[in-house]
């Protein structure tokens, strides 16, 4: 790297250009570029000279290196000192027709303005675009250096300054700026505090606007950023309140690009825990059919999100949405099939959707009549996942409430022993659904009562009489009444 740095000072322009291009490539392929730490004093004049080269490509390469090294405080001071009085040139580069050069020049300016003595000169530079002055005015003189446009050396994720810069670049009319800014946001971890702060300061509005871009790549990156933002519950309504956001996300679920489909359905899944979003989704023409189509794709992640979204939509007090989903051709059969997936998450979401849908009598009859339903549900009772236990037991509890379903359930080997075993679960919900299923079965079938006694249900049910959950106690008492 030091040899490359020395070549930038070569008297040969071709050598200079090649060296800085190689350094830029290394920076792009290695987030921990050594150049930021081996910044040599003699390197700076050459890089500043290359910024005035007639080739926008060469200028962009030099600007990219300066951006990288400006992350280090000592380098930032040296660059600011060397450029004092000539910062107007960087401002002019920010207005370049080259999107790459604009992005890099602006990032350098943002980083340099962390140093208070240079902030005023940049803000007052002749012809500074309003977008630049607005971004620079957001810098708090008393803030920490974490505002720099770069990655945190401790976490490797974008700093607050880098995120702020990216959000500002989303206002640009240039699609390349959008892609670069969205690429930065995509690097934020899902629990990024900096990203959540940006979400409350207008990022969501900008991202929703980009959902109407003509570029599938922009769609994917914008929906991915929205998904990360949607994870904290308080952000559900920020996204849902944007005019047309739910409708546009649903349109993107039907995209011909798998990556766009996946990220769009994940956003809808996340915000559909909001009752208002569930209601809007259910009322949109073709929404159920669009979401249901995802169940038939090969991606386990998409299958899980689609099943979860249907589960959420059906989670209403009235039964209208449950019936609307159940009336879609093949959807109940497909959800039953997905319980046989090798992916725990798909099993959990499919069983959860069936648990909710089976609360409607018509759906209950249809689900019970599907050949594999009870074989798969009983098999899931032995899963290693508590959430799978919960949803499978819940579905059996709902289905067994209809007496005509009981013979189908009783026909499956180990139904009663598996349910009895779940009475000892550490999850109150699992206990509730398992006890509820046993109560329904005990009421309907004498032979099943004997199986419960042989499986050791009595002492477990006795212990559940001390449960903090009233429904667990009620189910335990009702089952004991029938089997003792």
């Amino acid at each position: 790297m030091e040899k490359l740095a020395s070549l930038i000072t070569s008297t040969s322009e071709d050598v200079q250009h090649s060296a800085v291009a190689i350094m830029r490539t290394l920076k792009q392929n290695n987030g921990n570029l050594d150049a930021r730490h081996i910044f040599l004093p003699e390197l700076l004049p050459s890089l500043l000279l290359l910024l005035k080269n007639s080739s926008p490509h060469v200028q962009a390469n030099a600007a990219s290196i300066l951006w990288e090294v400006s992350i280090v405080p000592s380098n930032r001071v040296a660059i600011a000192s060397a450029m004092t009085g000539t910062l107007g040139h960087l401002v002019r580069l920010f207005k370049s027709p080259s999107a790459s050069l604009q992005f890099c020049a602006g990032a350098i300016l943002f980083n340099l303005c962390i140093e208070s003595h240079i902030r005023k000169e940049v803000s007052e530079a002749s012809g500074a675009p309003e977008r630049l002055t607005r971004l620079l005015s957001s810098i708090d003189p008393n803030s920490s250096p974490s505002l720099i446009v770069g990655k945190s050396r401790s976490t490797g994720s974008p700093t607050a300054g880098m995120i702020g810069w990216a959000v500002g670049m989303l206002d640009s009319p240039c699609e390349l700026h959008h892609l670069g800014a969205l690429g930065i946001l995509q690097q934020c971890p899902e629990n990024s505090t900096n990203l959540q702060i940006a979400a409350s300061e207008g990022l969501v509005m900008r991202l929703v606007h980009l959902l109407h871009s003509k570029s599938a790549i922009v769609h994917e990156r914008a929906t991915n950023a929205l998904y990360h933002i949607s994870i904290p519950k308080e952000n559900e309504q920020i996204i849902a309140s944007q005019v047309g956001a739910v409708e546009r996300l649903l349109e993107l679920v039907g995209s011909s690009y798998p990556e766009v489909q996946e990220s769009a359905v994940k956003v809808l899944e996340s915000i559909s825990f909001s009752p208002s979003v569930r209601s809007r989704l259910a009322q949109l023409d073709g929404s159920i059919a669009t979401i249901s189509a995802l169940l038939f794709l090969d991606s386990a992640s998409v299958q899980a999100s689609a099943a979860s979204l249907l589960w959420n939509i059906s989670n209403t007090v009235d039964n209208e949405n449950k019936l609307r989903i159940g009336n879609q051709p093949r959807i109940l059969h497909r959800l039953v099939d997905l319980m046989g997936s090798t992916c725990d998450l798909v099993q959990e979401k499919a069983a959860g959707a069936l648990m909710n849908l089976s609360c409607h009598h018509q759906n209950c009859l249809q689900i019970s009549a599907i050949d594999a339903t009870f074989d798969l549900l009983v098999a899931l009772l032995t899963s290693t996942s508590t959430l799978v236990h919960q949803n499978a037991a819940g579905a059996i509890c709902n289905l067994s409430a209809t007496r005509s379903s009981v013979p189908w359930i009783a026909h499956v080997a180990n139904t009663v022993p598996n349910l009895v075993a779940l009475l000892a679960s550490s999850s109150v919900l699992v206990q509730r659904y398992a006890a509820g299923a046993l109560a329904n079965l005990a009421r309907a079938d004498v032979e099943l009562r004997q199986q419960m006694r042989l499986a050791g249900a009595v002492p477990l049910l006795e212990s559940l009489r001390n449960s903090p959950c009233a429904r667990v106690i009620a189910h335990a008492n009702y089952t004991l009444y029938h089997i003792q």
Side-chain angles (χ1 to χ4, degrees), residues 304-326:
S305 292
S308 178
L309 185 50
L310 291 170
W311 179 6
N312 289 344
I313 293 173
S314 68
N315 189 23
T316 52
V317 175
D318 63 82
N319 285 328
E320 186 178 343
N321 289 349
K322 295 179 178 65
L323 185 59
R324 185 180 287 118
I325 294 171

Side-chain angles (χ1 to χ4, degrees), residues 288-308:
I288 304 302
T290 300
I291 297 164
S292 301
L294 299 183
L295 297 175
F296 294 87
L297 299 182
D298 292 333
S299 166
S301 174
V302 172
Q303 291 170 349
S305 292
S308 178

Side-chain angles (χ1 to χ4, degrees), residues 174-195:
C174 175
E175 187 177 284
L176 288 176
H177 287 166
H178 300 161
L179 289 172
L182 290 169
I184 291 170
L185 296 175
Q186 204 167 28
Q187 297 173 45
C188 297
E190 294 178 0
N191 60 350
S192 168
T193 302
N194 293 335
L195 188 62

